[in-house]
Amino acid sequence: MFDVAEYVQECLESILAQTGVRLDVVVVDDASSDDGARVADDLAATDGRVRVVRLKSNQGLGAARNVGLAHARGELVTFADADDVVQPGAYRRMVGSLTGSGSDFVVGSMARHPEIGSDQPDAVPAWLVPLHRREQVGTTIEASPALIRNVFAWTKMFRRTFWDAAGLGFPEGVSYEDHEMSAPAYLAAEAVDVLPDVV
């Protein structure tokens, strides 16, 4: 997180409300100057599943994600930006898919919040709809090449063994760092699960 105090409480609460999974939540404070660090610290003080790691200077999303991975202890890893809201049951659904299939990672859909002040409901972007029209278990990028368009880190959950064996990581000091991680992940995976669910 970096200067997102207005969002981080809702984000972390949506993660901590996930049921049917064991959580190890690593919050990386990328040298925030607002009140977001206090929000994370308060949650960490009352919930043992939350750990806060502080960076001394702002290094950007790629570096923050890599630091989080270095501290992660789980067999599965996923990511959330501080302005994300993880949907109820999303992590249970993703874990269940990977447990049943043995695939290297799972990718779900997402919906964008409407602009502040808008009365529009959350909406899945039109270009994402065909990618997640149906569930696919154990597919590949060769069989489903349009999947390459779902480039977001926060729509995916990975087996840590796959992540490490594929040498995945986030480039640092660039924008859209998750795009540069996603393509190699799709190419390296022997099997990917695709969910229609907004996660």
Side-chain angles (χ1 to χ4, degrees):
M1 64 178 182
F2 176 71
D3 290 351
V4 286
E6 63 186 301
Y7 303 112
V8 71
Q9 181 91 31
E10 184 179 14
C11 174
L12 289 172
E13 286 178 353
S14 75
I15 293 169
L16 295 171
Q18 297 295 306
T19 58
V21 294
R22 291 182 299 143
L23 295 171
D24 173 35
V25 181
V26 181
V27 180
V28 180
D29 176 11
D30 194 14
S32 296
S33 60
D34 66 5
D35 207 29
R38 183 197 55 77
V39 171
D41 285 341
D42 288 350
L43 281 170
T46 59
D47 193 319
R49 298 174 295 175
V50 180
R51 295 180 286 134
V52 180
V53 177
R54 286 207 163 65
L55 302 182
K56 294 185 186 304
S57 62
N58 180 259
Q59 298 180 36
L61 272 171
R65 291 193 204 282
N66 290 333
V67 168
L69 280 162
H71 285 83
R73 300 182 291 220
E75 295 176 12
L76 303 173
V77 293
T78 189
F79 305 91
D81 288 355
D83 61 351
D84 292 341
V85 177
V86 180
Q87 297 303 292
Y91 287 174
R92 180 179 66 241
R93 177 76 168 97
M94 296 172 93
V95 169
S97 183
L98 290 175
T99 300
S101 70
S103 291
D104 296 313
F105 70 95
V106 58
V107 55
S109 189
M110 64 91 167
R112 291 206 181 274
H113 286 295
E115 295 298 318
I116 292 173
S118 168
D119 59 359
Q120 297 297 314
D122 292 356
V124 175
W127 59 267
L128 200 55
V129 170
L131 308 184
H132 295 277
R133 187 162 280 131
R134 64 184 177 83
E135 183 172 355
Q136 299 179 65
V137 177
T139 191
T140 63
I141 197 64
E142 291 83 7
S144 304
L147 271 180
I148 200 95
R149 296 176 69 194
N150 186 328
V151 296
F152 310 108
W154 25 265
T155 59
K156 299 173 181 66
M157 181 178 285
F158 299 89
R159 289 186 189 282
R160 184 61 188 260
T161 51
F162 163 73
W163 182 278
D164 292 342
L168 297 176
F170 294 94
E172 300 183 9
V174 299
S175 298
Y176 305 108
E177 80 299 332
D178 46 357
H179 296 209
E180 292 194 35
M181 173 279 297
S182 289
Y186 283 120
L187 292 170
E190 292 184 11
V192 178
D193 294 346
V194 182
L195 302 180
D197 311 58
V198 170
V199 296

